[in-house]
Amino acid sequence: MTGLLRRIERFIATGEGRFGRLAAAAARFGIERVEPYRRLCERRGVTHAALDDWRAAPPVPTSAFKSLRLAAAEPREVFRSSGTTRGGERRSVHHHPYPDLYRTVIDATFADACLPAGSGRVPILSLIPDRRAAPDSSLSFMANHVFERHAAPGSAWAVARHGIDVEQARRWLRSHDRDEPVLILATALAFVLLLDHLEGSTADAIRLPAGSRVFETGGFKGQRLETTPEDIRRRSRSLLGLDPEAVVREYGMTELTSQAYSRPGGERLRTPPWMPFRVLDPETLEEVEDGEPGLLAFFDLANLGSVCHILTEDLGVREGNAFQLLGRATGAELRGCSLTAEELGAA
């Protein structure tokens, strides 16, 4: 384990250290250890010796993870995105040499963002597959670690081979509607499917205990479902007895190690101190003014084992120290991403 890795772990866990210095050192580490990234920096005239500001480190498009091995050391975990291979589509692959750093991130952020106030271990229902079912999913890695740290006896995984097991989920929720607060882990799609099932049931409505929470992540990945966060909150109240503040949204991706979270019941997403974000002009990749839409870019110290500066294909707008997610960029809005991918040599 390198000294830089230990310093980053301390910064994430305790706040000890200075982000600017750690970020510049992490960017230089990437130039030293990740060959495709070194080539990109050379083409941009960014040298190891002169790099003292993380903003000067070129961001790498998420699409590069589909064709390039971006690893600073031999990986101990390999995470793949959930995209299909139909039509020749490739999945992003994140080679992760430092999975304990991922665990440190989860320990530093998840409980404060998602657990009912004042709780220790809580009953958890997961609509996210565990690692046995999805060994290369970074989300399943996270869910397993959350279970190890926070799940009370009687917690359950309501996932079947074909998808979520809605009947098991309904029975579990029914058995916990008079006890202590519970936590539901779900993708947005899985949670909507559960609500659909409950809405079509003839059984009495479930009333979960006050303080219960829902961890909701991801979008609908092309599914033809028309819904809004407001509609999800309304149906959660009607079908589960959850107050409007119960749903916490998480923003993460295979190519990042850290996550952004909303306040309970809110829409604006906030990043932790070790993962600042910027909003960039899609063509020039220059930072735009607050309130203007652009591509979201993140500098994630926990990505030390691959590339820290990541350019997404998601559009957002900065609102103070948070951002509002606007959706996926179209082909015409990804010119900056495409040009950078060409410089990297990504197919």
Side-chain angles (χ1 to χ4, degrees):
M1 179 183 290
T2 68
L4 177 58
L5 178 57
R6 287 193 292 269
R7 287 158 54 204
I8 288 174
E9 284 185 324
R10 285 197 301 270
F11 184 78
I12 292 172
T14 70
E16 178 187 338
R18 294 178 61 180
F19 174 79
R21 289 182 178 178
L22 289 172
R28 292 192 295 267
F29 184 82
I31 294 174
E32 291 173 355
R33 300 294 188 93
V34 184
E35 176 61 30
Y37 192 59
R38 179 164 62 250
R39 292 197 304 266
L40 173 63
C41 289
E42 288 172 350
R43 290 189 176 101
R44 296 286 182 88
V46 177
T47 65
H48 178 279
L51 205 161
D52 59 2
D53 184 341
W54 63 270
R55 297 172 187 81
V60 171
T62 53
S63 60
F65 284 79
K66 295 181 179 181
S67 59
L68 296 175
R69 180 186 172 94
L70 301 169
E74 191 64 27
R76 291 172 55 199
E77 294 281 354
V78 177
F79 299 124
R80 293 178 173 82
S81 65
S82 59
T84 69
T85 55
R86 289 179 297 176
E89 180 186 347
R90 287 172 291 186
R91 300 165 68 186
S92 284
V93 181
H94 191 171
H95 298 90
H96 215 300
Y98 311 127
D100 283 344
L101 197 54
Y102 191 2
R103 296 181 178 95
T104 301
V105 165
I106 299 167
D107 290 341
T109 55
F110 182 85
D112 285 345
C114 301
L115 291 187
S119 61
R121 289 187 174 269
V122 298
I124 299 177
L125 174 69
S126 180
L127 307 183
I128 296 166
D130 67 9
R131 294 213 74 194
R132 291 174 299 177
D136 61 355
S137 165
S138 60
L139 182 58
S140 293
F141 180 102
M142 180 182 187
N144 270 73
H145 189 70
V146 167
F147 261 65
E148 291 172 5
R149 286 284 195 263
H150 304 294
S155 297
W157 303 82
V159 182
R161 180 178 299 179
H162 60 279
I164 65 170
D165 188 331
V166 289
E167 271 302 314
Q168 181 189 356
R170 184 187 63 78
R171 290 193 300 269
W172 189 93
L173 293 167
R174 175 71 63 193
S175 70
H176 287 79
D177 65 358
R178 295 181 184 85
D179 302 317
E180 60 189 307
V182 305
L183 172 67
I184 301 171
L185 304 178
T187 63
L189 175 60
F191 190 54
V192 168
L193 292 176
L194 173 63
L195 294 176
D196 287 347
H197 174 76
L198 295 176
E199 199 165 47
S201 172
T202 58
D204 293 338
I206 295 167
R207 289 292 176 264
L208 293 177
S212 295
R213 292 274 179 86
V214 176
F215 163 95
E216 177 206 284
T217 185
F220 299 105
K221 298 188 184 298
Q223 300 290 327
R224 295 182 178 179
L225 295 176
E226 293 185 6
T227 189
T228 63
E230 292 77 15
D231 184 54
I232 289 175
R233 286 194 288 268
R234 179 188 60 78
R235 297 175 73 201
S236 297
R237 186 174 186 83
S238 169
L239 299 168
L240 294 171
L242 294 173
D243 66 50
E245 304 300 305
V247 179
V248 176
R249 297 182 68 205
E250 183 256 18
Y251 174 88
M253 60 183 64
T254 300
E255 300 87 355
L256 289 171
T257 303
S258 303
Q259 304 82 37
Y261 291 94
S262 73
R263 303 283 194 224
E267 293 302 311
R268 294 193 304 165
L269 295 151
R270 291 170 172 82
T271 59
W274 59 89
M275 190 177 76
F277 74 92
R278 294 189 297 158
V279 182
L280 307 182
D281 182 279
E283 185 164 339
T284 67
L285 300 187
E286 295 293 325
E287 195 161 1
V288 302
E289 298 291 332
D290 284 13
E292 293 185 17
L295 292 174
L296 292 167
F298 301 89
F299 194 99
D300 185 3
L301 278 182
N303 258 31
L304 181 68
S306 53
V307 180
C308 290
H309 207 174
I310 300 297
L311 179 63
T312 76
E313 296 181 358
D314 292 323
L315 292 169
V317 60
R318 177 185 286 275
E319 297 179 3
N321 63 350
F323 66 91
Q324 188 83 21
L325 191 62
L326 301 180
R328 299 285 282 180
T330 64
E333 294 166 325
L334 294 173
R335 178 172 170 78
C337 288
S338 300
L339 292 175
T340 305
E342 290 175 12
E343 291 179 89
L344 274 163

